[in-house]
Amino acid sequence: MSNRKSKNNNLIHAECLLQVQRTLRERFCHQSPHGNLFGIQVQYKHLIELLKRTAIYGESNSVLIIGPRGSGKTLLINHALKELMEIEVSENVLQVHLNGLLQINDKIALKEITRQLNLENVVGDKVFGSFAENLSFLLDALRKVPIVEDLISFDYGNCFNFLWTFGDRISSCPVIFVLDEFDLFVHHKNQTLLYNLFDISQSAQTPVAVIGLTCRLDILELLEKRVKSRFSHRQIHLMNSFGFPQYIKIFKEQLSLPAEFPDKLFAEKWNENVQRLSEDRSVQEVLQKQFNVSKNLRSLHMLLMLALHRITASHPFMTSADLMEANQLCSMDSKANIVHGLSVLEICLIIAMKHLNDIYEEEPFNFQMVYNGF
């Protein structure tokens, strides 16, 4: 009887740990809009006011959010959009999310815009020879239609044919464009996508907010003159300005279980353990090293993720030793790890290949040449 009870307890314990790992991994891997913002409250206030002016008053805007990787750019925009969608008047706001790594040219970007706005239907077989002709046709047609229609026209030549399915500021649905990896869109031919987005944001037709996310401080220097003249030159900079005491608070919040966790007793024990960890001197030393190297939350999430992997049914709570081991893994040289464990022969062949690479200036070479070098 006692054995059966212990087995049941172990199963319940294992289920709790699976739920803990699922909850925390989702928090570490995804920029959830449900957490708190740290050190970027002023920037958040600026951004949400700008979005509200677009959603409520129909005012077009454009802004660049600039900061190093892991500084919270995506978290900031996700929080702002979540709050915006909770406003009653924002129920008709449309969102379009583009990424410079995925939409590598304007044709792909236009298809993605069409998909996200649910406008896949093509209006007839009409094909336009230029952007200006296409835009004027769409605007003329839309002024006659007070509701959103499924409109798109696309020339598969080199010209870029943009779409708009909205009339004036009063009857139009506000559209928020979020361009992640904004600096990659700069390299598109003639910067046509950026030119048209900024041009629409300057016109009196449709309320549009164009938000670019980038880690390049010199991004304005990369814009063409005609594109730069249509940009509002609003910039929001994120620089991780919080100190170490706040970093400890972030550590506690990121590792704590939420109040809605199914097993309240286990969650209470877990959170008490997290509180003790945050007060432990060795843990604080680990966090201080991490803070001195990089203050971005992405590196903290990586540290916590590695420590979380060590949690098992026989080791249900995180310890300072787990965090110290995780810190050692984070600080290892990845290239040295690849070479570690190779035989003398393999290392000699790698050295021979390195010499050939230097001699022939990255020209291709074959195994016979490597053998001769060896």
Side-chain angles (χ1 to χ4, degrees):
M1 192 73 177
S2 60
N3 289 337
R4 189 179 298 173
K5 281 185 178 179
S6 62
K7 284 182 180 178
N8 290 336
N9 289 336
N10 288 337
L11 284 173
I12 294 170
H13 216 51
E15 287 177 4
C16 276
L17 289 175
L18 284 174
Q19 185 66 32
V20 167
Q21 291 185 332
R22 192 180 300 116
T23 302
L24 295 182
R25 281 173 183 163
E26 185 177 352
R27 184 184 294 169
F28 299 156
C29 296
H30 303 288
Q31 296 288 350
S32 172
H34 302 291
N36 291 333
L37 295 172
F38 296 97
I40 52 176
Q41 286 81 2
V42 175
Q43 294 90 330
Y44 175 74
K45 185 179 178 182
H46 184 187
L47 180 61
I48 193 64
E49 285 178 358
L50 185 144
L51 292 176
K52 284 180 179 177
R53 290 204 298 269
T54 300
I56 299 172
Y57 304 113
E59 176 186 320
S60 292
N61 288 295
S62 55
V63 63
L64 285 175
I65 302 175
I66 303 171
R69 299 196 184 280
S71 59
K73 299 185 293 295
T74 305
L75 185 67
L76 178 69
I77 187 65
N78 286 347
H79 265 267
L81 290 174
K82 179 178 178 289
E83 181 178 334
L84 186 70
M85 292 302 124
E86 291 172 354
I87 302 173
E88 188 175 347
V89 295
S90 299
E91 58 186 11
N92 294 324
V93 173
L94 302 175
Q95 297 181 34
V96 175
H97 294 262
L98 302 177
N99 191 304
L101 293 169
L102 301 176
Q103 286 76 48
I104 58 175
N105 58 49
D106 292 338
K107 184 187 288 188
I108 297 173
L110 181 57
K111 284 185 177 180
E112 183 61 19
I113 292 169
T114 308
R115 187 191 67 80
Q116 292 190 32
L117 293 178
N118 298 318
L119 303 172
E120 289 90 348
N121 296 334
V122 178
V123 179
D125 297 323
K126 191 172 180 64
V127 176
F128 300 96
S130 68
F131 164 76
E133 183 185 348
N134 190 359
L135 183 61
S136 62
F137 171 81
L138 289 174
L139 293 179
D140 287 342
L142 292 168
R143 288 193 187 100
K144 299 170 188 174
V145 184
I147 60 174
V148 174
E149 297 290 335
D150 291 349
L151 296 175
I152 177 171
S153 187
F154 196 102
D155 180 11
Y156 285 92
N158 289 328
C159 63
F160 178 87
N161 299 317
F162 208 75
L163 92 154
W164 281 111
T165 58
F166 319 96
D168 53 33
R169 288 181 182 275
I170 298 173
S171 61
S172 298
C173 293
V175 190
I176 297 173
F177 285 88
V178 180
L179 277 64
D180 207 351
E181 304 292 345
F182 181 85
D183 48 289
L184 297 180
F185 287 101
V186 170
H187 301 299
H188 288 196
K189 186 177 180 181
N190 298 328
Q191 299 183 2
T192 314
L193 174 67
L194 299 181
Y195 173 79
N196 286 289
L197 286 177
F198 288 148
D199 191 53
I200 292 292
S201 71
Q202 293 290 326
S203 70
Q205 290 297 326
T206 304
V208 170
V210 182
I211 303 168
L213 281 64
T214 181
C215 54
R216 292 197 58 164
L217 293 172
D218 62 341
I219 186 64
L220 289 181
E221 303 303 320
L222 302 177
L223 296 176
E224 290 182 3
K225 187 176 180 180
R226 62 177 189 142
V227 179
K228 194 185 296 186
S229 66
R230 283 160 176 79
F231 174 53
S232 67
H233 289 264
R234 290 189 186 92
Q235 297 179 50
I236 297 175
H237 289 268
L238 306 182
M239 293 299 174
N240 285 337
S241 56
F242 50 81
F244 185 68
Q246 196 169 12
Y247 192 73
I248 295 287
K249 290 181 181 177
I250 296 171
F251 164 79
K252 285 194 291 186
E253 183 183 288
Q254 293 299 300
L255 211 51
S256 297
L257 293 176
E260 58 271 14
F261 190 78
D263 192 329
K264 305 293 183 186
L265 182 61
F266 184 84
E268 186 178 344
K269 289 181 179 178
W270 177 274
N271 291 340
E272 287 175 358
N273 181 65
V274 170
Q275 178 64 34
R276 286 195 296 271
L277 280 177
S278 66
E279 296 168 357
D280 188 279
R281 184 176 293 277
S282 59
V283 172
Q284 288 186 358
E285 287 177 0
V286 168
L287 293 176
Q288 184 70 61
K289 288 178 184 176
Q290 190 77 14
F291 180 79
N292 292 339
V293 172
S294 173
K295 293 200 292 185
N296 75 63
L297 299 187
R298 197 171 292 172
S299 60
L300 176 63
H301 287 159
M302 178 58 71
L303 175 74
L304 298 180
M305 181 74 83
L306 291 171
L308 186 65
H309 285 321
R310 299 173 64 85
I311 300 300
T312 61
S314 58
H315 180 65
F317 297 104
M318 195 176 292
T319 63
S320 58
D322 295 332
L323 287 164
M324 292 169 73
E325 180 71 24
N327 184 55
Q328 287 181 355
L329 291 172
C330 285
S331 58
M332 279 184 179
D333 186 351
S334 57
K335 292 181 180 177
N337 285 341
I338 294 171
V339 178
H340 183 70
L342 294 181
S343 66
V344 175
L345 174 61
E346 289 167 331
I347 291 174
C348 289
L349 289 174
I350 290 173
I351 293 169
M353 285 188 281
K354 177 65 172 67
H355 287 168
L356 287 172
N357 198 49
D358 292 340
I359 293 168
Y360 293 104
E361 297 181 349
E362 300 187 0
E363 289 293 321
F365 49 83
N366 57 29
F367 181 75
Q368 185 63 44
M369 297 167 70
V370 174
Y371 181 73
N372 293 338
F374 165 73

Coordinates of all heavy atoms in Angstrom, one line a residue, residues 29 61 68 81 99 109 111 130 147 152 155 164 168 189 196 212 216 277 284 296 301 314 335-336 351 359-360 369:
C29 N 11.7 31.4 -23.9 CA 11.9 31.3 -25.3 C 11.0 32.3 -26.1 O 11.3 32.6 -27.2 CB 11.6 29.9 -25.8 SG 12.7 28.7 -25.2
N61 N 1.7 57.6 -38.2 CA 2.9 57.9 -37.6 C 4.0 56.9 -38.1 O 3.6 55.8 -38.7 CB 2.8 57.7 -36.1 CG 2.0 58.8 -35.4 OD1 2.5 60.0 -35.4 ND2 0.9 58.5 -34.9
P68 N 20.4 47.3 -28.9 CA 21.1 46.0 -29.1 C 20.2 44.8 -29.0 O 19.1 44.9 -28.4 CB 22.2 46.0 -28.0 CG 21.7 46.9 -27.0 CD 20.8 48.0 -27.7
L81 N 1.1 46.6 -28.2 CA 0.1 46.1 -29.0 C -1.0 45.3 -28.2 O -2.2 45.5 -28.4 CB 0.6 45.1 -30.1 CG 1.4 45.7 -31.2 CD1 2.0 44.7 -32.1 CD2 0.6 46.7 -32.0
N99 N 9.3 40.5 -41.4 CA 10.7 40.3 -40.9 C 11.6 40.3 -42.0 O 11.4 39.6 -43.0 CB 10.7 39.0 -40.1 CG 12.0 38.8 -39.4 OD1 13.1 38.9 -39.9 ND2 11.9 38.5 -38.1
A109 N 7.3 40.4 -49.7 CA 6.7 41.2 -48.6 C 5.2 41.6 -49.0 O 4.4 41.5 -48.1 CB 7.5 42.5 -48.5
K111 N 3.2 39.8 -50.8 CA 2.4 38.6 -50.6 C 2.0 38.4 -49.2 O 0.9 38.0 -48.8 CB 3.1 37.4 -51.2 CG 3.1 37.3 -52.7 CD 3.8 36.0 -53.2 CE 3.7 35.9 -54.7 NZ 4.3 34.6 -55.2
S130 N 3.0 50.4 -63.7 CA 3.8 51.2 -62.8 C 3.1 51.3 -61.4 O 1.9 51.1 -61.3 CB 4.0 52.6 -63.3 OG 2.8 53.4 -63.3
I147 N -16.7 50.3 -47.5 CA -16.3 49.2 -46.7 C -15.0 48.5 -47.3 O -14.6 48.8 -48.4 CB -17.4 48.1 -46.6 CG1 -17.7 47.5 -48.0 CG2 -18.6 48.7 -45.9 CD1 -18.7 46.4 -47.9
I152 N -6.3 43.5 -54.5 CA -4.9 43.5 -54.7 C -4.6 43.4 -56.2 O -5.3 42.7 -56.9 CB -4.2 42.3 -54.0 CG1 -2.7 42.3 -54.3 CG2 -4.8 41.0 -54.4 CD1 -1.9 41.3 -53.5
D155 N 2.1 43.3 -60.4 CA 2.8 43.1 -61.6 C 4.0 42.3 -61.3 O 4.8 42.7 -60.5 CB 3.2 44.5 -62.2 CG 4.0 44.3 -63.5 OD1 4.0 43.2 -64.1 OD2 4.5 45.3 -64.0
W164 N -3.9 48.9 -51.3 CA -4.6 49.6 -50.2 C -6.1 49.2 -50.3 O -6.6 49.3 -51.4 CB -4.4 51.1 -50.2 CG -3.1 51.4 -49.6 CD1 -2.0 51.9 -50.3 CD2 -2.6 51.1 -48.3 NE1 -0.9 51.9 -49.4 CE2 -1.3 51.4 -48.2 CE3 -3.2 50.6 -47.2 CZ2 -0.5 51.3 -47.1 CZ3 -2.5 50.4 -46.0 CH2 -1.1 50.8 -46.0
D168 N -10.9 56.8 -46.6 CA -10.4 58.0 -45.9 C -10.2 57.7 -44.4 O -10.4 56.6 -43.9 CB -11.3 59.2 -46.1 CG -12.7 58.9 -45.6 OD1 -12.9 58.1 -44.7 OD2 -13.7 59.4 -46.3
K189 N 15.6 46.4 -53.4 CA 15.8 47.3 -54.6 C 15.0 48.6 -54.5 O 13.8 48.6 -54.4 CB 15.4 46.5 -55.9 CG 15.7 47.3 -57.2 CD 15.3 46.4 -58.4 CE 15.6 47.2 -59.7 NZ 15.2 46.5 -60.9
N196 N 7.1 53.4 -50.1 CA 5.6 53.5 -50.1 C 4.9 53.5 -48.8 O 3.9 54.1 -48.6 CB 5.1 52.3 -51.0 CG 5.4 52.4 -52.4 OD1 4.8 53.2 -53.1 ND2 6.4 51.7 -53.0
G212 N 9.6 50.3 -37.1 CA 10.8 49.5 -37.4 C 11.6 49.1 -36.2 O 11.8 50.0 -35.3
R216 N 20.8 48.6 -35.4 CA 21.9 49.5 -36.1 C 21.6 51.0 -35.7 O 20.6 51.5 -36.0 CB 21.9 49.3 -37.6 CG 22.4 47.9 -38.0 CD 22.8 47.9 -39.4 NE 23.8 48.8 -39.8 CZ 24.5 48.8 -40.9 NH1 24.3 47.8 -41.8 NH2 25.4 49.7 -41.2
L277 N 17.5 31.5 -3.3 CA 18.5 31.5 -4.3 C 19.0 33.0 -4.6 O 20.2 33.3 -4.7 CB 18.1 30.9 -5.6 CG 18.1 29.4 -5.8 CD1 17.5 29.0 -7.1 CD2 19.5 28.8 -5.6
Q284 N 24.5 35.2 -6.3 CA 24.7 36.7 -6.6 C 26.0 36.9 -7.3 O 26.1 37.8 -8.2 CB 24.6 37.5 -5.3 CG 23.2 37.6 -4.7 CD 23.1 38.5 -3.6 OE1 24.2 39.1 -3.1 NE2 21.9 38.7 -3.0
N296 N 21.6 42.1 -21.2 CA 20.4 41.8 -21.9 C 19.7 40.5 -21.3 O 20.4 39.6 -20.8 CB 20.6 41.7 -23.4 CG 21.3 40.4 -23.8 OD1 20.8 39.3 -23.6 ND2 22.5 40.5 -24.4
H301 N 18.1 34.5 -19.8 CA 17.2 33.4 -20.1 C 18.0 32.2 -20.5 O 17.6 31.1 -20.1 CB 16.3 33.8 -21.2 CG 15.2 34.8 -20.8 ND1 14.6 35.6 -21.7 CD2 14.7 35.1 -19.6 CE1 13.7 36.3 -21.1 NE2 13.8 36.1 -19.8
S314 N 14.1 13.5 -8.9 CA 15.0 13.3 -7.7 C 15.7 14.6 -7.3 O 16.3 14.6 -6.2 CB 16.0 12.2 -8.0 OG 16.8 12.6 -9.1
K335 N 33.9 27.3 -30.1 CA 34.8 26.7 -31.1 C 35.8 25.8 -30.4 O 36.2 24.7 -31.0 CB 35.6 27.9 -31.8 CG 34.7 28.7 -32.7 CD 35.5 29.8 -33.4 CE 34.6 30.6 -34.3 NZ 35.3 31.7 -34.9
A336 N 36.2 26.1 -29.2 CA 37.1 25.2 -28.5 C 36.4 23.9 -28.1 O 37.0 22.8 -28.1 CB 37.6 25.9 -27.2
I351 N 44.9 21.9 -39.1 CA 45.9 22.9 -39.2 C 46.4 23.1 -40.7 O 46.6 24.2 -41.2 CB 47.1 22.6 -38.3 CG1 46.7 22.7 -36.8 CG2 48.3 23.5 -38.6 CD1 47.7 22.1 -35.9
I359 N 46.9 30.5 -47.7 CA 47.7 30.6 -48.9 C 46.8 30.9 -50.1 O 47.2 31.8 -50.9 CB 48.5 29.3 -49.1 CG1 49.5 29.1 -48.0 CG2 49.2 29.3 -50.5 CD1 50.1 27.7 -48.0
Y360 N 45.7 30.2 -50.3 CA 44.9 30.4 -51.5 C 43.8 31.4 -51.3 O 42.9 31.5 -52.2 CB 44.3 29.0 -51.9 CG 45.4 28.0 -52.4 CD1 45.8 27.0 -51.5 CD2 46.0 28.2 -53.6 CE1 46.8 26.1 -51.9 CE2 47.0 27.3 -54.0 CZ 47.4 26.3 -53.2 OH 48.4 25.4 -53.6
M369 N 45.5 18.0 -51.6 CA 46.3 19.2 -51.2 C 46.4 19.2 -49.7 O 47.5 19.6 -49.2 CB 45.6 20.5 -51.7 CG 45.6 20.5 -53.3 SD 44.4 21.8 -53.8 CE 45.3 23.3 -53.4

